[in-house]
PDB file of all heavy atoms in Angstrom:
ATOM      1  N   GLY A 246      67.642 177.366  41.919  1.00 53.00           N
ATOM      2  CA  GLY A 246      67.556 178.797  41.606  1.00 53.00           C
ATOM      3  C   GLY A 246      67.000 179.626  42.762  1.00 53.00           C
ATOM      4  O   GLY A 246      66.073 179.210  43.426  1.00 53.00           O
ATOM      5  N   GLY A 247      67.505 180.811  42.993  1.00 49.00           N
ATOM      6  CA  GLY A 247      67.022 181.698  44.059  1.00 49.00           C
ATOM      7  C   GLY A 247      66.927 180.917  45.363  1.00 49.00           C
ATOM      8  O   GLY A 247      67.789 180.132  45.694  1.00 49.00           O
ATOM      9  N   ASN A 248      65.825 181.121  46.074  1.00 57.00           N
ATOM     10  CA  ASN A 248      65.663 180.275  47.263  1.00 57.00           C
ATOM     11  C   ASN A 248      64.936 179.005  46.875  1.00 57.00           C
ATOM     12  O   ASN A 248      64.572 178.192  47.704  1.00 57.00           O
ATOM     13  CB  ASN A 248      64.959 181.011  48.396  1.00 57.00           C
ATOM     14  CG  ASN A 248      63.482 181.203  48.100  1.00 57.00           C
ATOM     15  OD1 ASN A 248      63.002 180.854  47.032  1.00 57.00           O
ATOM     16  ND2 ASN A 248      62.770 181.738  49.049  1.00 57.00           N
ATOM     17  N   GLY A 249      64.683 178.842  45.581  1.00 81.00           N
ATOM     18  CA  GLY A 249      64.114 177.594  45.086  1.00 81.00           C
ATOM     19  C   GLY A 249      62.606 177.506  45.203  1.00 81.00           C
ATOM     20  O   GLY A 249      62.014 176.556  44.727  1.00 81.00           O
ATOM     21  N   LYS A 250      61.969 178.521  45.810  1.00 89.00           N
ATOM     22  CA  LYS A 250      60.527 178.383  46.061  1.00 89.00           C
ATOM     23  C   LYS A 250      59.677 179.009  44.955  1.00 89.00           C
ATOM     24  O   LYS A 250      58.444 178.929  45.003  1.00 89.00           O
ATOM     25  CB  LYS A 250      60.154 178.995  47.411  1.00 89.00           C
ATOM     26  CG  LYS A 250      60.723 178.208  48.568  1.00 89.00           C
ATOM     27  CD  LYS A 250      60.196 178.718  49.890  1.00 89.00           C
ATOM     28  CE  LYS A 250      61.005 178.112  51.016  1.00 89.00           C
ATOM     29  NZ  LYS A 250      61.122 178.985  52.162  1.00 89.00           N
ATOM     30  N   ASN A 251      60.333 179.637  44.015  1.00 87.00           N
ATOM     31  CA  ASN A 251      59.623 180.158  42.852  1.00 87.00           C
ATOM     32  C   ASN A 251      58.425 181.034  43.222  1.00 87.00           C
ATOM     33  O   ASN A 251      57.354 180.933  42.610  1.00 87.00           O
ATOM     34  CB  ASN A 251      59.157 178.953  42.024  1.00 87.00           C
ATOM     35  CG  ASN A 251      59.064 179.291  40.568  1.00 87.00           C
ATOM     36  OD1 ASN A 251      59.567 180.336  40.152  1.00 87.00           O
ATOM     37  ND2 ASN A 251      58.422 178.437  39.795  1.00 87.00           N
ATOM     38  N   GLY A 252      58.582 181.839  44.238  1.00 92.00           N
ATOM     39  CA  GLY A 252      57.512 182.756  44.622  1.00 92.00           C
ATOM     40  C   GLY A 252      56.523 182.183  45.624  1.00 92.00           C
ATOM     41  O   GLY A 252      55.703 182.914  46.179  1.00 92.00           O
ATOM     42  N   TYR A 253      56.562 180.897  45.860  1.00 95.00           N
ATOM     43  CA  TYR A 253      55.657 180.306  46.856  1.00 95.00           C
ATOM     44  C   TYR A 253      56.256 180.475  48.250  1.00 95.00           C
ATOM     45  O   TYR A 253      57.467 180.559  48.407  1.00 95.00           O
ATOM     46  CB  TYR A 253      55.456 178.803  46.591  1.00 95.00           C
ATOM     47  CG  TYR A 253      54.650 178.526  45.344  1.00 95.00           C
ATOM     48  CD1 TYR A 253      55.273 178.323  44.122  1.00 95.00           C
ATOM     49  CD2 TYR A 253      53.261 178.477  45.394  1.00 95.00           C
ATOM     50  CE1 TYR A 253      54.540 178.072  42.976  1.00 95.00           C
ATOM     51  CE2 TYR A 253      52.514 178.223  44.255  1.00 95.00           C
ATOM     52  CZ  TYR A 253      53.161 178.018  43.050  1.00 95.00           C
ATOM     53  OH  TYR A 253      52.431 177.772  41.923  1.00 95.00           O
ATOM     54  N   GLU A 254      55.369 180.472  49.239  1.00 95.00           N
ATOM     55  CA  GLU A 254      55.864 180.618  50.607  1.00 95.00           C
ATOM     56  C   GLU A 254      56.536 179.323  51.071  1.00 95.00           C
ATOM     57  O   GLU A 254      57.504 179.337  51.824  1.00 95.00           O
ATOM     58  CB  GLU A 254      54.671 180.948  51.513  1.00 95.00           C
ATOM     59  CG  GLU A 254      55.046 181.348  52.909  1.00 95.00           C
ATOM     60  CD  GLU A 254      53.803 181.575  53.775  1.00 95.00           C
ATOM     61  OE1 GLU A 254      52.669 181.551  53.244  1.00 95.00           O
ATOM     62  OE2 GLU A 254      54.001 181.758  54.992  1.00 95.00           O
ATOM     63  N   PHE A 255      56.004 178.200  50.612  1.00 97.00           N
ATOM     64  CA  PHE A 255      56.537 176.904  51.034  1.00 97.00           C
ATOM     65  C   PHE A 255      56.857 176.017  49.844  1.00 97.00           C
ATOM     66  O   PHE A 255      56.166 176.068  48.818  1.00 97.00           O
ATOM     67  CB  PHE A 255      55.515 176.171  51.929  1.00 97.00           C
ATOM     68  CG  PHE A 255      55.323 176.820  53.255  1.00 97.00           C
ATOM     69  CD1 PHE A 255      54.229 177.641  53.484  1.00 97.00           C
ATOM     70  CD2 PHE A 255      56.240 176.636  54.281  1.00 97.00           C
ATOM     71  CE1 PHE A 255      54.053 178.261  54.710  1.00 97.00           C
ATOM     72  CE2 PHE A 255      56.074 177.249  55.512  1.00 97.00           C
ATOM     73  CZ  PHE A 255      54.978 178.068  55.729  1.00 97.00           C
ATOM     74  N   PHE A 256      57.880 175.181  50.015  1.00 96.00           N
ATOM     75  CA  PHE A 256      58.204 174.207  48.966  1.00 96.00           C
ATOM     76  C   PHE A 256      57.020 173.280  48.699  1.00 96.00           C
ATOM     77  O   PHE A 256      56.753 172.913  47.577  1.00 96.00           O
ATOM     78  CB  PHE A 256      59.423 173.367  49.375  1.00 96.00           C
ATOM     79  CG  PHE A 256      60.729 174.053  49.124  1.00 96.00           C
ATOM     80  CD1 PHE A 256      61.511 174.499  50.173  1.00 96.00           C
ATOM     81  CD2 PHE A 256      61.189 174.257  47.825  1.00 96.00           C
ATOM     82  CE1 PHE A 256      62.721 175.140  49.936  1.00 96.00           C
ATOM     83  CE2 PHE A 256      62.404 174.889  47.587  1.00 96.00           C
ATOM     84  CZ  PHE A 256      63.164 175.331  48.649  1.00 96.00           C
ATOM     85  N   MET A 257      56.300 172.907  49.757  1.00 98.00           N
ATOM     86  CA  MET A 257      55.220 171.932  49.543  1.00 98.00           C
ATOM     87  C   MET A 257      54.174 172.491  48.579  1.00 98.00           C
ATOM     88  O   MET A 257      53.691 171.784  47.694  1.00 98.00           O
ATOM     89  CB  MET A 257      54.561 171.558  50.869  1.00 98.00           C
ATOM     90  CG  MET A 257      53.484 170.488  50.682  1.00 98.00           C
ATOM     91  SD  MET A 257      52.718 170.043  52.238  1.00 98.00           S
ATOM     92  CE  MET A 257      51.514 168.839  51.679  1.00 98.00           C
ATOM     93  N   GLU A 258      53.856 173.761  48.730  1.00 97.00           N
ATOM     94  CA  GLU A 258      52.845 174.362  47.854  1.00 97.00           C
ATOM     95  C   GLU A 258      53.360 174.395  46.414  1.00 97.00           C
ATOM     96  O   GLU A 258      52.639 174.089  45.464  1.00 97.00           O
ATOM     97  CB  GLU A 258      52.537 175.776  48.346  1.00 97.00           C
ATOM     98  CG  GLU A 258      51.320 176.370  47.683  1.00 97.00           C
ATOM     99  CD  GLU A 258      51.026 177.779  48.189  1.00 97.00           C
ATOM    100  OE1 GLU A 258      51.892 178.378  48.860  1.00 97.00           O
ATOM    101  OE2 GLU A 258      49.922 178.281  47.881  1.00 97.00           O
ATOM    102  N   LYS A 259      54.634 174.746  46.277  1.00 97.00           N
ATOM    103  CA  LYS A 259      55.243 174.778  44.943  1.00 97.00           C
ATOM    104  C   LYS A 259      55.212 173.368  44.340  1.00 97.00           C
ATOM    105  O   LYS A 259      54.881 173.186  43.165  1.00 97.00           O
ATOM    106  CB  LYS A 259      56.680 175.280  45.063  1.00 97.00           C
ATOM    107  CG  LYS A 259      57.537 175.072  43.838  1.00 97.00           C
ATOM    108  CD  LYS A 259      58.948 175.584  44.097  1.00 97.00           C
ATOM    109  CE  LYS A 259      59.914 175.163  43.013  1.00 97.00           C
ATOM    110  NZ  LYS A 259      60.546 173.870  43.223  1.00 97.00           N
ATOM    111  N   GLU A 260      55.535 172.395  45.145  1.00 97.00           N
ATOM    112  CA  GLU A 260      55.639 171.024  44.619  1.00 97.00           C
ATOM    113  C   GLU A 260      54.265 170.457  44.278  1.00 97.00           C
ATOM    114  O   GLU A 260      54.120 169.705  43.304  1.00 97.00           O
ATOM    115  CB  GLU A 260      56.429 170.162  45.627  1.00 97.00           C
ATOM    116  CG  GLU A 260      57.902 170.574  45.603  1.00 97.00           C
ATOM    117  CD  GLU A 260      58.733 170.198  46.821  1.00 97.00           C
ATOM    118  OE1 GLU A 260      58.210 169.476  47.700  1.00 97.00           O
ATOM    119  OE2 GLU A 260      59.899 170.638  46.896  1.00 97.00           O
TER     120      GLU A 260
END
Side-chain angles (χ1 to χ4, degrees):
N248 72 356
K250 292 187 192 148
N251 209 13
Y253 290 93
E254 189 184 353
F255 291 100
F256 279 110
M257 183 180 179
E258 191 180 13
K259 167 181 169 272
E260 289 160 7

